[in-house]
Amino acid sequence: MSGREPTDSGHDDSILNNNEHAHHQAEALQVDADVYYAGVNNREVLACSDDDVLAQLNTILDPQFIQADPKKNEHYRVGWRSGGGSATAVVFPQTLVALWQVLKVCVSTNAIIVMQAANTGLTEGSTPSGNQYDRPVIVVNTLAMDNLYLLNRGEQVVSLPGATLHQLEKQLGEVGRAPHSVIGSSCLGASIVGGVANNSGGALVKRGPAYTELSIYAQINEHGELCLVNHLGIDLGDSPESILNNLQNGQFSQDDIPKTSKLASDREYVERIRDVEADTPSRFNADHRRLYEASGCAGKLAVFAVRLDTYPVAEQEQTFYIGTNSERELAELRRQMLRTMENIPEVGEYMHRDIFDVSKKYGKDTFLSVLHLGTDQLPKLFSIKGRIDAVLNKISWLPNAITDKCLQLMSYLFPSHLPKRLLAYREKYEHHLILKMSNQGIHEAEVFLNTFFKESPTGDFFICDKDEAQRAYLHRFAAAGAAIRYQTMREKSVGDILALDIAIPRNQLDWLEKLPPDIEQYIDKKLYYGHFFCYVFHQDYILKKGSDPSAVKKAMLNLLNQRGAKYPAEHNVGHLYEAEPDLRQFYQELDPTNTFNPGIGKMEKTKRNCSCCH
């Protein structure tokens, strides 16, 4: 690598210049004193056999951390919702130095590297995809490396690749701080680094996509050389092994870390969503403004750590529950709150009546598990369930998804779990909005809502007590899994599930789609929910039996293109979506030899001999 580092002059803590600050990745990866070479490359190496790769891995890892039996490693090769493929092995390095050694073996043997943490993605981006690879595939699971280090008394955090959002939320709570994201739309075990690598958003209105310019990662450059890049902004040593060992063990000053002009969050996001006249979405995965090194890399780098901002915990919070039968009324509420209120919401989660019903019936076991067991053990329980499913699904005489079906039947034994006022609003209103305000915003919102709905014939609101608020959020959380469960329980009468996450332009008033008859005819049920103030929606379609999912998806995406929507909005392209030109270029610049996670964004899976690609 050669050239210069991007300049950071002119940064402002409130509003950033999009064009100047969103550095082009070709500049962002320039070499400086923070780049260290491993002394191995894959440019001229022919792909080794599976046995050769395994033999070398066995020289650096204990055999218990190498799983080459396809029957025993299937859980790590199959996506959370769909997808999967073959791999020579799944490896589980226990330290950052061991991870570096695994990468060196993969590069020296010309093996493909698929980075994976909790494998909770919804678009197949953290597993192999099929078997059409030209080199051995090694899945590298990073969950064992889960250290978190709080900097400057908790104002920032350094996260290793296996640490989870739930783990961070719990640790920050002890010092009165909050993370970028909290319990979200899909699952509890999502990793922090995974969120950054996929520009993931979330339910918190003020946060925007997970973003940082401060990270430490391994890259394979245009010469096929493996190198370690330390842009964490912390002095950790002068060789890869010493840097990674010091990072693993927290052997660096964690207080009084010098300030840096590089960002550790998307600090302009509040002003961005306040611009309700803009004809572009507020956030989406391919937004070139937020593609920078580890941020948005989608596994095209091996990320060892990221450094992120944290946030003060609100002194007071209050949840309001809003119902309306007018989509235009809800759009106007959003516009007025974002334009006129001094304090914008912390959370604004939307649910249509149909997903309310599906979540009530088919998300009940998830709801009750979180409510009564808490969130500490649930990621492990979900992982165990996945392993059990992998075994039982191979027994031909057992029904498909037998654990899900058993859990569903067990849920019927429990009494109604939703508060009476939520159920009453379900009967009265089609559209539901769960609104959380904090501190001074609580009184401001109450005054606004009383005025806004004073003469409304179509909508109303109530102030939730603590139990109602908790149950409303859990009901919303259970929605994504409930859509899958609905399809599972009705597999004999319905077709596949098509799940889209989209971002629509900020100025649209008619935000709820109207499907034309040529698409509607293939849909059994439409399920709409999402992050309303960000205008990011999850749209799950249960297809009728016999419908062609690929044809329906193509028609759906054409319709979204006509609306000016962007997709995916926060789950990234994985192996399900075609990467836009900006994203394709970003991936090629990060990974010129196509060694990391080849095939994502529906790009080629074969090796590139990089000098010809520029």
Side-chain angles (χ1 to χ4, degrees), residues 8-66:
D8 289 286
S9 59
H11 280 199
D12 183 272
D13 283 352
S14 57
I15 305 175
L16 307 176
N17 183 305
N18 292 346
N19 292 327
E20 291 181 3
H21 184 68
H23 310 298
H24 192 278
Q25 188 64 22
E27 291 184 291
L29 289 174
Q30 303 306 315
V31 174
D32 55 24
D34 296 323
V35 178
Y36 307 85
Y37 292 88
V40 294
N41 74 74
N42 67 5
R43 187 167 184 178
E44 306 299 335
V45 179
L46 296 176
C48 294
S49 69
D50 290 350
D51 288 342
D52 288 338
V53 179
L54 288 172
Q56 293 206 36
L57 288 171
N58 272 287
T59 66
I60 60 170
L61 293 179
D62 190 293
Q64 67 177 312
F65 301 126
I66 303 171

Side-chain angles (χ1 to χ4, degrees), residues 141-209:
N141 186 283
T142 63
L143 280 183
M145 297 160 284
D146 61 355
N147 301 40
L148 290 170
Y149 300 108
L150 302 187
L151 306 182
N152 293 340
R153 292 158 291 279
E155 291 182 0
Q156 290 187 324
V157 62
V158 169
S159 169
L160 269 55
T164 65
L165 288 169
H166 171 65
Q167 180 185 343
L168 176 59
E169 183 180 9
K170 186 176 181 181
Q171 189 165 331
L172 285 175
E174 298 173 358
V175 295
R177 303 287 292 184
H180 168 273
S181 300
V182 293
I183 184 171
S185 302
S186 53
C187 36
L188 296 168
S191 70
I192 299 163
V193 166
V196 172
N198 289 299
N199 292 125
S200 298
L204 300 180
V205 177
K206 301 175 182 178
R207 303 290 199 259

